[in-house]
Amino acid sequence: MTMIASKSNTDALYLLHEGTQYQSYQFLGAHLEERDGCKGVNFAVWAPNAKQVNVSGSFNGWDGTHHAMTMQEGIWTLFIPELEEGTLYKYEIVTLDGDRYLKADPYAFQTEVRPETASIIASLDNYDWQDEDWLANNTSNQHLQQPLLIYEVHLGSWKRKEDGGFYSYVELADELVDYVHERGYTHIELMPLAEHPLDSSWGYQVTSYYSVTSRYGSPKDFMYFVDRCHQKGIGVIMDWVPAHFCKDAHGLSRFDGSPLYEYADSRKGENPTWGTYIFDYGKPEVISYLISNALFWMDMYHVDGLRVDAVYSLLTLNFNRPEEEYIRNEQGGEEHLEGIAFLQKLNAVVFSRYPNVLMIAEDSSAYPGVTTPVEYGGLGFNYKWNLAFTSDTLEYMKKNQSERVGQEDRLTRSLLGTSDENYVLPYSHDEMNYPSKSLLGKMSGEDNWQRFANLRVLYTYMMGHPGKKLLFMGTEFGQMDDWNSEDSLVWGLLRNEEHQQFAEFVKRMNHFYIAEKALWELDFESNGFTSLVADEKEDGLVTLLRKSKTNNEQLIIISNFKPETHEGYRLGVMEPGRYREVFNSDKLEFGGSGITNDHSLETQEWFCQGYPQSISVNIPPLAAVIVKYMPTEG
């Protein structure tokens, strides 16, 4: 008995070959079934160019000739009775040239822990989800007007056991989730968890797109992790890698003896810089595979969004290609027309089924309309990482004080395009790994005090800058060393007072951000912020006014990027009345010098910086002060 035995299955295959089958994982792969009273497993795999495909595994001594599959419409199928969950298997591919090799199942739900590579029969059914309240409350499509504060995590190195072993999904579901919740983050972003053979790839070179990595436990263990996040009010974003896949022999590469998942033309089908293959976005079955996979993580694991890696590489045919090797599309341009069409289709389909998820583009290009809806000609993401903000601000912060003169535009030019896209401001893992140094390690300064002060003012400035926020693990307590994916974060630093104080600062800043609507409600509206220009262009001050939707909440964020104190600094303000300091990165408990504004700040009719009234503010060195307008009641 084969899979193609009913009209519904025939229709499913038709959609697969049309590129519109968005739940192909429901019938391709290995599925526990009962047929005519006999329990077993139905196997189905797409391999149209193979001469023969067999099922090989621990149940037949890895001799696939005992279990030959039959093919119809490019799909090979076989039902094998009496197989159970946990059984190891692969597909034995016989090519047209007579070569014979074993391949992992492209749709496997579970895979052996590396270096082993066999697929594992697994059921994703019957997990008792407890996140009903989260799902019920996550129905308003207003996330652009909500706080988004993301903690980016590599699960394998957030914390290690004493013997160097990994914490499991279940263990992390308690320790990591509580940690993130206490510090005020709204979401955890997980670096890729699809199964990958090489730890040092961090998950960005995948072999099994439907297998959550077994490094940290089983599929249902991961369900428990997501479930626990939701019960704590934390969303889960996962990095997703549809741009390329690794060449390991057991994976997707040359799957049926031919370039099946990748382009046949090596100029389009290989990324020489990364040593990987590029998906063939012109092939309908590949589109079905990838879009089904994006939805799979939402359908089966309740993931709340995907951060799509390396989007730029899907937008141009000449990504990382020397100019002498440039290729052109059929219209004569460099645009990767099939890659662009895939991204648009991906987002259109995802939002048609999950209108409230996060689809975030990691895109370093200047391609316009990344977060413009597809129906208006855009790519259709709802967020894009603002990598220019990251690069510019860090380049400024690396400079010594004498080198910062005239460089203030590195801090402010990102303010000119805040409404161009819906931005996330990321200080991500890319800025923390060798040899780029940790975030604290990048800060200039004559001593540790100045370095921590620089990081505090930078972090507060980021919180005041329009756009959602992302911070990589370890940055929140000031890890000095580069991030090492093969070891734990240096938690012992928290025994040091400086790091304790910085951790307390980040925690307090996070909770302040969540509590203040003015910092996030109008992130992408032109009336949501104003840059208040100082009298002296080179005084190291950047001042922003942020407003809430109803305009009854206003915050002024004054960031001082120089080590000079400004006592009684005259600051022009829009609204006459009373202001109050509500946050100060220079507080003693944060490790600062303790220069604050403890008194009420009343406006005076003193024309300043283009405004008819102003207030007098004490601004500490290398610090940010946030003052709030206090409207008169009644």
Side-chain angles (χ1 to χ4, degrees), residues 43-56:
F43 296 90
V45 62
W46 177 54
N49 303 306
K51 181 178 181 180
Q52 176 62 48
V53 180
N54 307 319
V55 182
S56 176

Side-chain angles (χ1 to χ4, degrees), residues 352-376:
S352 71
R353 301 191 181 211
Y354 292 98
N356 306 302
V357 299
L358 305 174
M359 293 295 289
I360 304 171
E362 188 269 320
D363 172 33
S364 57
S365 78
Y367 189 91
V370 173
T371 58
T372 299
V374 173
E375 55 266 34
Y376 298 112

Side-chain angles (χ1 to χ4, degrees), residues 393-408:
T393 55
L394 292 181
E395 279 301 312
Y396 180 86
M397 298 307 292
K398 290 177 186 176
K399 296 182 181 298
N400 295 321
Q401 294 301 322
S402 61
E403 299 173 322
R404 290 182 179 181
V405 177
Q407 297 291 312
E408 286 77 12

Side-chain angles (χ1 to χ4, degrees), residues 225-426:
F225 176 88
V226 176
D227 201 2
R228 179 94 163 90
C229 287
H230 289 172
Q231 291 171 47
K232 281 286 191 177
I234 298 168
V236 179
I237 304 165
M238 195 180 81
D239 283 10
W240 187 59
V241 192
H244 62 132
F245 58 92
C246 63
K247 294 182 176 181
D248 289 54
H250 69 281
L252 300 178
S253 61
R254 304 295 192 265
F255 188 80
D256 62 359
S258 69
L260 189 63
Y261 287 88
E262 65 272 39
Y263 282 105
D265 183 344
S266 62
R267 297 176 302 167
K268 292 177 67 175
E270 293 191 46
N271 187 313
T273 301
W274 295 337
T276 52
Y277 284 128
I278 299 171
F279 282 105
D280 184 345
Y281 305 106
K283 197 170 289 182
E285 296 86 353
V286 172
I287 299 300
S288 291
Y289 178 81
L290 288 172
I291 296 181
S292 290
N293 186 248
L295 291 171
F296 166 80
W297 294 101
M298 300 168 193
D299 292 345
M300 304 309 300
Y301 290 108
H302 294 197
V303 164
D304 301 286
L306 300 174
R307 177 270 205 184
V308 181
D309 184 60
V311 166
Y312 188 13
S313 70
L314 280 79
L315 301 178
T316 175
L317 292 169
N318 296 311
F319 180 76
N320 279 349
R321 190 184 303 278
E323 188 171 354
E324 63 271 16
E325 297 178 12
Y326 274 13
I327 57 177
R328 306 286 175 177
N329 60 38
E330 56 268 30
Q331 299 175 3
E334 294 182 37
E335 298 84 3
H336 194 335
L337 300 178
E338 292 170 339
I340 293 169
F342 160 69
L343 291 172
Q344 291 176 318
K345 189 173 186 178
L346 165 73
N347 286 316
V349 171
V350 167
F351 287 123
S352 71
R353 301 191 181 211
Y354 292 98
N356 306 302
V357 299
L358 305 174
M359 293 295 289
I360 304 171
E362 188 269 320
D363 172 33
S364 57
S365 78
Y367 189 91
V370 173
T371 58
T372 299
V374 173
E375 55 266 34
Y376 298 112
L379 292 183
F381 291 93
N382 49 16
Y383 289 104
K384 173 183 174 175
W385 276 17
N386 191 340
L387 297 173
F389 165 87
T390 306
S391 174
D392 279 347
T393 55
L394 292 181
E395 279 301 312
Y396 180 86
M397 298 307 292
K398 290 177 186 176
K399 296 182 181 298
N400 295 321
Q401 294 301 322
S402 61
E403 299 173 322
R404 290 182 179 181
V405 177
Q407 297 291 312
E408 286 77 12
D409 64 326
R410 287 189 176 275
L411 295 171
T412 59
R413 59 187 168 198
S414 57
L415 295 168
L416 301 176
T418 56
S419 59
D420 294 345
E421 304 279 3
N422 303 329
Y423 283 120
V424 172
L425 311 180

